[in-house]
Amino acid sequence: MTKPILVAVAWPYANADIHVGNLTGSYLPADIFARYQRLKGNQVLMVSGSDAHGTPITVKSDAEGVSPETVYKRYHAGFLELFQKLGLHYDLFSSTHTQNHFAVSQAMFLALKKNGYLYTESQQQWFSASLGKFLPDRYVEGTCYICGFDGARGDQCDNCGNVLDSTQLINPRAKEDGSTPELRDTTHYFLDLGKLEGPVVQFLEERQGYWRANVVNRSLGWIRSEGLRGRPITRDLDWGIPVPEEGWDSKRLYVWFEAVIGYLSAAIEWAALSGEPGAWHRWWTEAGARAYYFIGKDNIDFHAIMWPAELIGVADEFAHTFEGAEGKPLNLPYDVPANEFLNMEDRKISGSRNWGVWGLDFLTRYDPDPLRYYLTVTMPETSDANWDWDDFVRRNNNELVATWGNLANRVLSFTYRHWEGKVPDPLPSSLRASETSEAIPSDRFLRPQDRQLLAAVEAGFDSVGQHIENVKLRAALGEAMRLCGEVNRYLDEQAPWAQVKTDKDAAGLTIYTALRAIDNLKLLLAPFLPHTSEALHSMLGYHAPLFGEQYTERINDDLGEHEVLRYRAAAIPGHWRPSTLEGGRALREPAPLYKKLEPSIADEERARLGGGAV
RNA sequence: GGCGAGGUAGCUCAGUGGUAGAGCAGGGGACUCAUAAGCCCUUGGUCGUGAGUUCAAAUCUCACUCUCGCCA
């Protein structure tokens, strides 16, 4: 029985490079979860894309004198490169700047309006007569009315850190041309969150039993203490999605409102690209489907409150508006396993201070799986965590290399030397030549200690799998690593290097068992360490790969061209079940899976922190 | 100031009522297939503080305290 699983991954804002905190916060856990679900045989759809709209991007484009599109495409290209190098297997990684996303967002808007959850309200906003337009808060500077600092922005004062009401700014001036703006009335659409508060609270309470405490308690606490109030979903801006309404040409849908719709629009775009336009319904309207949202804690409000509110608000009207057909309600999030933050050497990661480790830069010096390993064992699942370069080196050398890499290497190289590069046959040599041997299941000859080891390792398919399904990835990886220890212990007890001198059949049984254990561990670790599991898979003599392939594609629509990352599933998918390694199989020449790192690199890497601007 | 999360071995963290755990680091030992890796033994904690509930509390309640985050 296969289940549709939607793996909805946070949309990176296309105005900065991705750092290790972003990776461990949402992108990496999503990929681990998705890879497991695919191995398990479930129907996975993992989608995301670049968040291309909003003022941070227009601010950057103004500063550089290029179009917002140029800015977003530059960072988007970096995302695609990083995801391919790190092996983040998105079924589709698109962008919010596509004709499809525009259409889906506008349909959501219209469906909410039709259902009575939108209203308009007039508010005051700075208007520049010389520029002839309303100014977003970030585009106004002046004196902070709290601390008196003169360089405060309309939305926030960088001196005292307070969030400001821009209309109270003293001596306001337009950032763009220095002109003095005036307050004018402007009308906006609001999402009537007050009306949706009851259903949203009910949605959260139904999930309180299994959601992470920091996600559900925070959301419920916030609603109970402050209540939900209407929130503007349009703003005066010319970059973004037009409001589907006569006379609203100068306004755009607010980013917070439309970016989350990407989870839905990307599923729809994926379905269209796959040549099966209705296929998105499997994840979005079927009752048995589950949607997991992988995000960082800064996004909790939007995914645990706002997005559910939008989905509850459109109800079955979305399909009606979008497809003109009778529709079912859209599925609400099943889980939002938000992660906390990762600090860098005990300080907050900061792009402007160059305090952090950036994904693409890291991969110019190190391999992807050690990064995936370290980010998983330090994943901030319950509280903030810390990246420490000494710890990175230690864990790479003492855990990844010593416990697992060395285990694979010691068994494979021993086999290669003593059994001519083939899996030893568990049949006793006396039976091997006889005619009947092919009919005898080789497991029959395994000794109790062999069966015991294999049973312990095979139990990992349940225990590791259960942890992953509960999105406890640190625990899952820890369990898999513990099983590596079991195999190391078994080898020490059996000592095949001694057996081989006195009783080659016994040594053969030991090595056969150890190889099969490694073949299992390769799968148990594959969601976490896909590159090296794939390499080991190949050394064990398999030809069909465990996982599928990523590729990019350029799509043309009315907005122009956008590049997406896609995924082609493996022809013969891997399976989340015990190995049935057969004797006699030819192995490939083994090579170490991981490299030991010099402890000195910790100092070298720390020296890079905070250095010259990127 | 309000809300949320956290404060458990030197370090990173598990552990939500029943005699304190893991990994790493530290100390000792036997082995040698392996990336001087692996294996065995071992040192180490009054579970932030105080009180309460209970036959029994790291685990529940209350107060206090420190850290981080969000909001005001």
mmCIF file with all atom_site columns, all heavy atoms in Angstrom, chain A residues 328-351:
data_model
loop_
_atom_site.group_PDB
_atom_site.id
_atom_site.type_symbol
_atom_site.label_atom_id
_atom_site.label_alt_id
_atom_site.label_comp_id
_atom_site.label_asym_id
_atom_site.label_entity_id
_atom_site.label_seq_id
_atom_site.pdbx_PDB_ins_code
_atom_site.Cartn_x
_atom_site.Cartn_y
_atom_site.Cartn_z
_atom_site.occupancy
_atom_site.B_iso_or_equiv
_atom_site.pdbx_formal_charge
_atom_site.auth_seq_id
_atom_site.auth_comp_id
_atom_site.auth_asym_id
_atom_site.auth_atom_id
_atom_site.pdbx_PDB_model_num
ATOM 1   N N   . LYS A 1 328 ? -12.707 19.240 -4.432 1.00 0.00 ? 328 LYS A N   1
ATOM 2   C CA  . LYS A 1 328 ? -12.690 18.857 -3.024 1.00 0.00 ? 328 LYS A CA  1
ATOM 3   C C   . LYS A 1 328 ? -11.846 19.885 -2.283 1.00 0.00 ? 328 LYS A C   1
ATOM 4   O O   . LYS A 1 328 ? -11.037 20.585 -2.890 1.00 0.00 ? 328 LYS A O   1
ATOM 5   C CB  . LYS A 1 328 ? -12.067 17.467 -2.864 1.00 0.00 ? 328 LYS A CB  1
ATOM 6   C CG  . LYS A 1 328 ? -12.933 16.355 -3.419 1.00 0.00 ? 328 LYS A CG  1
ATOM 7   C CD  . LYS A 1 328 ? -12.401 15.007 -2.981 1.00 0.00 ? 328 LYS A CD  1
ATOM 8   C CE  . LYS A 1 328 ? -11.786 14.252 -4.135 1.00 0.00 ? 328 LYS A CE  1
ATOM 9   N NZ  . LYS A 1 328 ? -11.248 12.955 -3.801 1.00 0.00 ? 328 LYS A NZ  1
ATOM 10  N N   . PRO A 1 329 ? -11.987 19.978 -0.976 1.00 0.00 ? 329 PRO A N   1
ATOM 11  C CA  . PRO A 1 329 ? -11.135 20.901 -0.209 1.00 0.00 ? 329 PRO A CA  1
ATOM 12  C C   . PRO A 1 329 ? -9.668  20.498 -0.349 1.00 0.00 ? 329 PRO A C   1
ATOM 13  O O   . PRO A 1 329 ? -9.356  19.338 -0.606 1.00 0.00 ? 329 PRO A O   1
ATOM 14  C CB  . PRO A 1 329 ? -11.599 20.706 1.237  1.00 0.00 ? 329 PRO A CB  1
ATOM 15  C CG  . PRO A 1 329 ? -12.901 19.994 1.163  1.00 0.00 ? 329 PRO A CG  1
ATOM 16  C CD  . PRO A 1 329 ? -12.911 19.233 -0.121 1.00 0.00 ? 329 PRO A CD  1
ATOM 17  N N   . LEU A 1 330 ? -8.796  21.474 -0.167 1.00 0.00 ? 330 LEU A N   1
ATOM 18  C CA  . LEU A 1 330 ? -7.363  21.201 -0.224 1.00 0.00 ? 330 LEU A CA  1
ATOM 19  C C   . LEU A 1 330 ? -6.893  20.661 1.116  1.00 0.00 ? 330 LEU A C   1
ATOM 20  O O   . LEU A 1 330 ? -7.370  21.085 2.171  1.00 0.00 ? 330 LEU A O   1
ATOM 21  C CB  . LEU A 1 330 ? -6.609  22.488 -0.565 1.00 0.00 ? 330 LEU A CB  1
ATOM 22  C CG  . LEU A 1 330 ? -6.957  23.099 -1.928 1.00 0.00 ? 330 LEU A CG  1
ATOM 23  C CD1 . LEU A 1 330 ? -6.270  24.445 -2.093 1.00 0.00 ? 330 LEU A CD1 1
ATOM 24  C CD2 . LEU A 1 330 ? -6.566  22.153 -3.059 1.00 0.00 ? 330 LEU A CD2 1
ATOM 25  N N   . ASN A 1 331 ? -5.961  19.731 1.054  1.00 0.00 ? 331 ASN A N   1
ATOM 26  C CA  . ASN A 1 331 ? -5.456  19.114 2.287  1.00 0.00 ? 331 ASN A CA  1
ATOM 27  C C   . ASN A 1 331 ? -4.661  20.100 3.135  1.00 0.00 ? 331 ASN A C   1
ATOM 28  O O   . ASN A 1 331 ? -3.841  20.856 2.622  1.00 0.00 ? 331 ASN A O   1
ATOM 29  C CB  . ASN A 1 331 ? -4.559  17.927 1.952  1.00 0.00 ? 331 ASN A CB  1
ATOM 30  C CG  . ASN A 1 331 ? -5.353  16.752 1.428  1.00 0.00 ? 331 ASN A CG  1
ATOM 31  O OD1 . ASN A 1 331 ? -6.527  16.589 1.765  1.00 0.00 ? 331 ASN A OD1 1
ATOM 32  N ND2 . ASN A 1 331 ? -4.728  15.938 0.594  1.00 0.00 ? 331 ASN A ND2 1
ATOM 33  N N   . LEU A 1 332 ? -4.884  20.013 4.434  1.00 0.00 ? 332 LEU A N   1
ATOM 34  C CA  . LEU A 1 332 ? -4.135  20.846 5.374  1.00 0.00 ? 332 LEU A CA  1
ATOM 35  C C   . LEU A 1 332 ? -2.828  20.145 5.734  1.00 0.00 ? 332 LEU A C   1
ATOM 36  O O   . LEU A 1 332 ? -2.699  18.933 5.543  1.00 0.00 ? 332 LEU A O   1
ATOM 37  C CB  . LEU A 1 332 ? -4.978  21.066 6.631  1.00 0.00 ? 332 LEU A CB  1
ATOM 38  C CG  . LEU A 1 332 ? -6.301  21.799 6.384  1.00 0.00 ? 332 LEU A CG  1
ATOM 39  C CD1 . LEU A 1 332 ? -7.113  21.892 7.663  1.00 0.00 ? 332 LEU A CD1 1
ATOM 40  C CD2 . LEU A 1 332 ? -6.029  23.194 5.826  1.00 0.00 ? 332 LEU A CD2 1
ATOM 41  N N   . PRO A 1 333 ? -1.871  20.892 6.259  1.00 0.00 ? 333 PRO A N   1
ATOM 42  C CA  . PRO A 1 333 ? -0.607  20.261 6.662  1.00 0.00 ? 333 PRO A CA  1
ATOM 43  C C   . PRO A 1 333 ? -0.840  19.124 7.658  1.00 0.00 ? 333 PRO A C   1
ATOM 44  O O   . PRO A 1 333 ? -1.645  19.271 8.583  1.00 0.00 ? 333 PRO A O   1
ATOM 45  C CB  . PRO A 1 333 ? 0.167   21.403 7.332  1.00 0.00 ? 333 PRO A CB  1
ATOM 46  C CG  . PRO A 1 333 ? -0.380  22.641 6.707  1.00 0.00 ? 333 PRO A CG  1
ATOM 47  C CD  . PRO A 1 333 ? -1.835  22.347 6.449  1.00 0.00 ? 333 PRO A CD  1
ATOM 48  N N   . TYR A 1 334 ? -0.130  18.023 7.444  1.00 0.00 ? 334 TYR A N   1
ATOM 49  C CA  . TYR A 1 334 ? -0.185  16.928 8.410  1.00 0.00 ? 334 TYR A CA  1
ATOM 50  C C   . TYR A 1 334 ? 0.807   17.209 9.538  1.00 0.00 ? 334 TYR A C   1
ATOM 51  O O   . TYR A 1 334 ? 0.508   17.011 10.700 1.00 0.00 ? 334 TYR A O   1
ATOM 52  C CB  . TYR A 1 334 ? 0.157   15.599 7.736  1.00 0.00 ? 334 TYR A CB  1
ATOM 53  C CG  . TYR A 1 334 ? 0.269   14.456 8.730  1.00 0.00 ? 334 TYR A CG  1
ATOM 54  C CD1 . TYR A 1 334 ? -0.882  13.848 9.238  1.00 0.00 ? 334 TYR A CD1 1
ATOM 55  C CD2 . TYR A 1 334 ? 1.514   14.008 9.173  1.00 0.00 ? 334 TYR A CD2 1
ATOM 56  C CE1 . TYR A 1 334 ? -0.791  12.827 10.158 1.00 0.00 ? 334 TYR A CE1 1
ATOM 57  C CE2 . TYR A 1 334 ? 1.608   12.984 10.101 1.00 0.00 ? 334 TYR A CE2 1
ATOM 58  C CZ  . TYR A 1 334 ? 0.458   12.391 10.593 1.00 0.00 ? 334 TYR A CZ  1
ATOM 59  O OH  . TYR A 1 334 ? 0.552   11.391 11.523 1.00 0.00 ? 334 TYR A OH  1
ATOM 60  N N   . ASP A 1 335 ? 1.981   17.678 9.150  1.00 0.00 ? 335 ASP A N   1
ATOM 61  C CA  . ASP A 1 335 ? 2.970   18.022 10.166 1.00 0.00 ? 335 ASP A CA  1
ATOM 62  C C   . ASP A 1 335 ? 3.829   19.178 9.663  1.00 0.00 ? 335 ASP A C   1
ATOM 63  O O   . ASP A 1 335 ? 4.040   19.320 8.458  1.00 0.00 ? 335 ASP A O   1
ATOM 64  C CB  . ASP A 1 335 ? 3.860   16.809 10.491 1.00 0.00 ? 335 ASP A CB  1
ATOM 65  C CG  . ASP A 1 335 ? 4.603   16.978 11.821 1.00 0.00 ? 335 ASP A CG  1
ATOM 66  O OD1 . ASP A 1 335 ? 4.431   18.007 12.489 1.00 0.00 ? 335 ASP A OD1 1
ATOM 67  O OD2 . ASP A 1 335 ? 5.367   16.059 12.190 1.00 0.00 ? 335 ASP A OD2 1
ATOM 68  N N   . VAL A 1 336 ? 4.284   19.998 10.583 1.00 0.00 ? 336 VAL A N   1
ATOM 69  C CA  . VAL A 1 336 ? 5.191   21.106 10.272 1.00 0.00 ? 336 VAL A CA  1
ATOM 70  C C   . VAL A 1 336 ? 6.396   20.961 11.202 1.00 0.00 ? 336 VAL A C   1
ATOM 71  O O   . VAL A 1 336 ? 6.484   21.614 12.228 1.00 0.00 ? 336 VAL A O   1
ATOM 72  C CB  . VAL A 1 336 ? 4.502   22.474 10.478 1.00 0.00 ? 336 VAL A CB  1
ATOM 73  C CG1 . VAL A 1 336 ? 5.445   23.610 10.080 1.00 0.00 ? 336 VAL A CG1 1
ATOM 74  C CG2 . VAL A 1 336 ? 3.219   22.570 9.651  1.00 0.00 ? 336 VAL A CG2 1
ATOM 75  N N   . PRO A 1 337 ? 7.293   20.031 10.863 1.00 0.00 ? 337 PRO A N   1
ATOM 76  C CA  . PRO A 1 337 ? 8.427   19.773 11.775 1.00 0.00 ? 337 PRO A CA  1
ATOM 77  C C   . PRO A 1 337 ? 9.498   20.842 11.656 1.00 0.00 ? 337 PRO A C   1
ATOM 78  O O   . PRO A 1 337 ? 10.588  20.601 11.150 1.00 0.00 ? 337 PRO A O   1
ATOM 79  C CB  . PRO A 1 337 ? 8.937   18.405 11.311 1.00 0.00 ? 337 PRO A CB  1
ATOM 80  C CG  . PRO A 1 337 ? 8.556   18.329 9.863  1.00 0.00 ? 337 PRO A CG  1
ATOM 81  C CD  . PRO A 1 337 ? 7.301   19.148 9.691  1.00 0.00 ? 337 PRO A CD  1
ATOM 82  N N   . ALA A 1 338 ? 9.185   22.023 12.132 1.00 0.00 ? 338 ALA A N   1
ATOM 83  C CA  . ALA A 1 338 ? 10.118  23.151 12.017 1.00 0.00 ? 338 ALA A CA  1
ATOM 84  C C   . ALA A 1 338 ? 11.346  22.921 12.889 1.00 0.00 ? 338 ALA A C   1
ATOM 85  O O   . ALA A 1 338 ? 11.244  22.422 14.001 1.00 0.00 ? 338 ALA A O   1
ATOM 86  C CB  . ALA A 1 338 ? 9.429   24.440 12.433 1.00 0.00 ? 338 ALA A CB  1
ATOM 87  N N   . ASN A 1 339 ? 12.494  23.296 12.368 1.00 0.00 ? 339 ASN A N   1
ATOM 88  C CA  . ASN A 1 339 ? 13.724  23.226 13.140 1.00 0.00 ? 339 ASN A CA  1
ATOM 89  C C   . ASN A 1 339 ? 14.067  24.592 13.714 1.00 0.00 ? 339 ASN A C   1
ATOM 90  O O   . ASN A 1 339 ? 13.652  25.624 13.192 1.00 0.00 ? 339 ASN A O   1
ATOM 91  C CB  . ASN A 1 339 ? 14.886  22.742 12.273 1.00 0.00 ? 339 ASN A CB  1
ATOM 92  C CG  . ASN A 1 339 ? 14.906  21.227 12.145 1.00 0.00 ? 339 ASN A CG  1
ATOM 93  O OD1 . ASN A 1 339 ? 14.375  20.515 13.002 1.00 0.00 ? 339 ASN A OD1 1
ATOM 94  N ND2 . ASN A 1 339 ? 15.504  20.735 11.074 1.00 0.00 ? 339 ASN A ND2 1
ATOM 95  N N   . GLU A 1 340 ? 14.859  24.569 14.780 1.00 0.00 ? 340 GLU A N   1
ATOM 96  C CA  . GLU A 1 340 ? 15.349  25.804 15.380 1.00 0.00 ? 340 GLU A CA  1
ATOM 97  C C   . GLU A 1 340 ? 16.543  26.287 14.551 1.00 0.00 ? 340 GLU A C   1
ATOM 98  O O   . GLU A 1 340 ? 16.715  25.858 13.420 1.00 0.00 ? 340 GLU A O   1
ATOM 99  C CB  . GLU A 1 340 ? 15.732  25.533 16.836 1.00 0.00 ? 340 GLU A CB  1
ATOM 100 C CG  . GLU A 1 340 ? 14.585  24.945 17.665 1.00 0.00 ? 340 GLU A CG  1
ATOM 101 C CD  . GLU A 1 340 ? 13.549  25.969 18.077 1.00 0.00 ? 340 GLU A CD  1
ATOM 102 O OE1 . GLU A 1 340 ? 13.908  26.968 18.688 1.00 0.00 ? 340 GLU A OE1 1
ATOM 103 O OE2 . GLU A 1 340 ? 12.347  25.768 17.775 1.00 0.00 ? 340 GLU A OE2 1
ATOM 104 N N   . PHE A 1 341 ? 17.371  27.105 15.123 1.00 0.00 ? 341 PHE A N   1
ATOM 105 C CA  . PHE A 1 341 ? 18.469  27.688 14.355 1.00 0.00 ? 341 PHE A CA  1
ATOM 106 C C   . PHE A 1 341 ? 19.807  27.014 14.643 1.00 0.00 ? 341 PHE A C   1
ATOM 107 O O   . PHE A 1 341 ? 20.015  26.462 15.711 1.00 0.00 ? 341 PHE A O   1
ATOM 108 C CB  . PHE A 1 341 ? 18.599  29.175 14.659 1.00 0.00 ? 341 PHE A CB  1
ATOM 109 C CG  . PHE A 1 341 ? 17.547  30.015 13.995 1.00 0.00 ? 341 PHE A CG  1
ATOM 110 C CD1 . PHE A 1 341 ? 17.241  31.273 14.487 1.00 0.00 ? 341 PHE A CD1 1
ATOM 111 C CD2 . PHE A 1 341 ? 16.857  29.556 12.886 1.00 0.00 ? 341 PHE A CD2 1
ATOM 112 C CE1 . PHE A 1 341 ? 16.267  32.059 13.876 1.00 0.00 ? 341 PHE A CE1 1
ATOM 113 C CE2 . PHE A 1 341 ? 15.884  30.334 12.266 1.00 0.00 ? 341 PHE A CE2 1
ATOM 114 C CZ  . PHE A 1 341 ? 15.589  31.584 12.762 1.00 0.00 ? 341 PHE A CZ  1
ATOM 115 N N   . LEU A 1 342 ? 20.674  27.112 13.667 1.00 0.00 ? 342 LEU A N   1
ATOM 116 C CA  . LEU A 1 342 ? 22.052  26.658 13.844 1.00 0.00 ? 342 LEU A CA  1
ATOM 117 C C   . LEU A 1 342 ? 22.929  27.890 13.996 1.00 0.00 ? 342 LEU A C   1
ATOM 118 O O   . LEU A 1 342 ? 22.894  28.786 13.153 1.00 0.00 ? 342 LEU A O   1
ATOM 119 C CB  . LEU A 1 342 ? 22.499  25.862 12.616 1.00 0.00 ? 342 LEU A CB  1
ATOM 120 C CG  . LEU A 1 342 ? 23.914  25.278 12.678 1.00 0.00 ? 342 LEU A CG  1
ATOM 121 C CD1 . LEU A 1 342 ? 23.973  24.126 13.667 1.00 0.00 ? 342 LEU A CD1 1
ATOM 122 C CD2 . LEU A 1 342 ? 24.355  24.793 11.299 1.00 0.00 ? 342 LEU A CD2 1
ATOM 123 N N   . ASN A 1 343 ? 23.684  27.940 15.083 1.00 0.00 ? 343 ASN A N   1
ATOM 124 C CA  . ASN A 1 343 ? 24.651  29.024 15.241 1.00 0.00 ? 343 ASN A CA  1
ATOM 125 C C   . ASN A 1 343 ? 25.984  28.589 14.651 1.00 0.00 ? 343 ASN A C   1
ATOM 126 O O   . ASN A 1 343 ? 26.213  27.406 14.406 1.00 0.00 ? 343 ASN A O   1
ATOM 127 C CB  . ASN A 1 343 ? 24.817  29.388 16.715 1.00 0.00 ? 343 ASN A CB  1
ATOM 128 C CG  . ASN A 1 343 ? 23.571  30.066 17.261 1.00 0.00 ? 343 ASN A CG  1
ATOM 129 O OD1 . ASN A 1 343 ? 22.964  30.893 16.588 1.00 0.00 ? 343 ASN A OD1 1
ATOM 130 N ND2 . ASN A 1 343 ? 23.181  29.687 18.467 1.00 0.00 ? 343 ASN A ND2 1
ATOM 131 N N   . MET A 1 344 ? 26.857  29.564 14.436 1.00 0.00 ? 344 MET A N   1
ATOM 132 C CA  . MET A 1 344 ? 28.168  29.278 13.867 1.00 0.00 ? 344 MET A CA  1
ATOM 133 C C   . MET A 1 344 ? 29.225  29.658 14.889 1.00 0.00 ? 344 MET A C   1
ATOM 134 O O   . MET A 1 344 ? 29.351  30.842 15.217 1.00 0.00 ? 344 MET A O   1
ATOM 135 C CB  . MET A 1 344 ? 28.336  30.091 12.569 1.00 0.00 ? 344 MET A CB  1
ATOM 136 C CG  . MET A 1 344 ? 29.711  30.062 11.945 1.00 0.00 ? 344 MET A CG  1
ATOM 137 S SD  . MET A 1 344 ? 30.279  28.428 11.465 1.00 0.00 ? 344 MET A SD  1
ATOM 138 C CE  . MET A 1 344 ? 28.904  27.789 10.517 1.00 0.00 ? 344 MET A CE  1
ATOM 139 N N   . GLU A 1 345 ? 29.924  28.649 15.433 1.00 0.00 ? 345 GLU A N   1
ATOM 140 C CA  . GLU A 1 345 ? 30.955  28.933 16.437 1.00 0.00 ? 345 GLU A CA  1
ATOM 141 C C   . GLU A 1 345 ? 30.389  29.872 17.513 1.00 0.00 ? 345 GLU A C   1
ATOM 142 O O   . GLU A 1 345 ? 30.985  30.898 17.827 1.00 0.00 ? 345 GLU A O   1
ATOM 143 C CB  . GLU A 1 345 ? 32.199  29.531 15.768 1.00 0.00 ? 345 GLU A CB  1
ATOM 144 C CG  . GLU A 1 345 ? 32.897  28.571 14.800 1.00 0.00 ? 345 GLU A CG  1
ATOM 145 C CD  . GLU A 1 345 ? 33.797  27.555 15.510 1.00 0.00 ? 345 GLU A CD  1
ATOM 146 O OE1 . GLU A 1 345 ? 34.116  27.758 16.691 1.00 0.00 ? 345 GLU A OE1 1
ATOM 147 O OE2 . GLU A 1 345 ? 34.172  26.547 14.861 1.00 0.00 ? 345 GLU A OE2 1
ATOM 148 N N   . ASP A 1 346 ? 29.229  29.513 18.034 1.00 0.00 ? 346 ASP A N   1
ATOM 149 C CA  . ASP A 1 346 ? 28.586  30.211 19.159 1.00 0.00 ? 346 ASP A CA  1
ATOM 150 C C   . ASP A 1 346 ? 28.035  31.596 18.840 1.00 0.00 ? 346 ASP A C   1
ATOM 151 O O   . ASP A 1 346 ? 27.643  32.315 19.748 1.00 0.00 ? 346 ASP A O   1
ATOM 152 C CB  . ASP A 1 346 ? 29.550  30.325 20.369 1.00 0.00 ? 346 ASP A CB  1
ATOM 153 C CG  . ASP A 1 346 ? 29.903  28.948 20.916 1.00 0.00 ? 346 ASP A CG  1
ATOM 154 O OD1 . ASP A 1 346 ? 28.992  28.108 21.011 1.00 0.00 ? 346 ASP A OD1 1
ATOM 155 O OD2 . ASP A 1 346 ? 31.090  28.714 21.209 1.00 0.00 ? 346 ASP A OD2 1
ATOM 156 N N   . ARG A 1 347 ? 28.011  31.960 17.582 1.00 0.00 ? 347 ARG A N   1
ATOM 157 C CA  . ARG A 1 347 ? 27.407  33.256 17.240 1.00 0.00 ? 347 ARG A CA  1
ATOM 158 C C   . ARG A 1 347 ? 26.387  33.074 16.132 1.00 0.00 ? 347 ARG A C   1
ATOM 159 O O   . ARG A 1 347 ? 26.447  32.123 15.361 1.00 0.00 ? 347 ARG A O   1
ATOM 160 C CB  . ARG A 1 347 ? 28.492  34.240 16.795 1.00 0.00 ? 347 ARG A CB  1
ATOM 161 C CG  . ARG A 1 347 ? 29.279  34.814 17.963 1.00 0.00 ? 347 ARG A CG  1
ATOM 162 C CD  . ARG A 1 347 ? 30.529  35.529 17.521 1.00 0.00 ? 347 ARG A CD  1
ATOM 163 N NE  . ARG A 1 347 ? 30.285  36.567 16.522 1.00 0.00 ? 347 ARG A NE  1
ATOM 164 C CZ  . ARG A 1 347 ? 31.253  37.286 15.944 1.00 0.00 ? 347 ARG A CZ  1
ATOM 165 N NH1 . ARG A 1 347 ? 32.509  37.068 16.261 1.00 0.00 ? 347 ARG A NH1 1
ATOM 166 N NH2 . ARG A 1 347 ? 30.961  38.207 15.045 1.00 0.00 ? 347 ARG A NH2 1
ATOM 167 N N   . LYS A 1 348 ? 25.457  34.017 16.070 1.00 0.00 ? 348 LYS A N   1
ATOM 168 C CA  . LYS A 1 348 ? 24.429  33.946 15.028 1.00 0.00 ? 348 LYS A CA  1
ATOM 169 C C   . LYS A 1 348 ? 25.058  34.012 13.637 1.00 0.00 ? 348 LYS A C   1
ATOM 170 O O   . LYS A 1 348 ? 25.989  34.775 13.403 1.00 0.00 ? 348 LYS A O   1
ATOM 171 C CB  . LYS A 1 348 ? 23.461  35.131 15.169 1.00 0.00 ? 348 LYS A CB  1
ATOM 172 C CG  . LYS A 1 348 ? 22.345  34.887 16.154 1.00 0.00 ? 348 LYS A CG  1
ATOM 173 C CD  . LYS A 1 348 ? 21.416  36.090 16.227 1.00 0.00 ? 348 LYS A CD  1
ATOM 174 C CE  . LYS A 1 348 ? 20.414  36.098 15.085 1.00 0.00 ? 348 LYS A CE  1
ATOM 175 N NZ  . LYS A 1 348 ? 19.295  37.021 15.345 1.00 0.00 ? 348 LYS A NZ  1
ATOM 176 N N   . ILE A 1 349 ? 24.515  33.220 12.739 1.00 0.00 ? 349 ILE A N   1
ATOM 177 C CA  . ILE A 1 349 ? 24.977  33.292 11.355 1.00 0.00 ? 349 ILE A CA  1
ATOM 178 C C   . ILE A 1 349 ? 24.521  34.629 10.774 1.00 0.00 ? 349 ILE A C   1
ATOM 179 O O   . ILE A 1 349 ? 23.389  35.043 10.975 1.00 0.00 ? 349 ILE A O   1
ATOM 180 C CB  . ILE A 1 349 ? 24.394  32.130 10.533 1.00 0.00 ? 349 ILE A CB  1
ATOM 181 C CG1 . ILE A 1 349 ? 24.980  30.806 11.042 1.00 0.00 ? 349 ILE A CG1 1
ATOM 182 C CG2 . ILE A 1 349 ? 24.682  32.328 9.039  1.00 0.00 ? 349 ILE A CG2 1
ATOM 183 C CD1 . ILE A 1 349 ? 24.431  29.584 10.344 1.00 0.00 ? 349 ILE A CD1 1
ATOM 184 N N   . SER A 1 350 ? 25.428  35.288 10.088 1.00 0.00 ? 350 SER A N   1
ATOM 185 C CA  . SER A 1 350 ? 25.098  36.589 9.523  1.00 0.00 ? 350 SER A CA  1
ATOM 186 C C   . SER A 1 350 ? 25.759  36.775 8.166  1.00 0.00 ? 350 SER A C   1
ATOM 187 O O   . SER A 1 350 ? 26.969  36.675 8.036  1.00 0.00 ? 350 SER A O   1
ATOM 188 C CB  . SER A 1 350 ? 25.575  37.689 10.480 1.00 0.00 ? 350 SER A CB  1
ATOM 189 O OG  . SER A 1 350 ? 25.699  38.928 9.781  1.00 0.00 ? 350 SER A OG  1
ATOM 190 N N   . GLY A 1 351 ? 24.933  37.025 7.182  1.00 0.00 ? 351 GLY A N   1
ATOM 191 C CA  . GLY A 1 351 ? 25.455  37.219 5.834  1.00 0.00 ? 351 GLY A CA  1
ATOM 192 C C   . GLY A 1 351 ? 26.264  38.494 5.737  1.00 0.00 ? 351 GLY A C   1
ATOM 193 O O   . GLY A 1 351 ? 27.361  38.502 5.177  1.00 0.00 ? 351 GLY A O   1
#
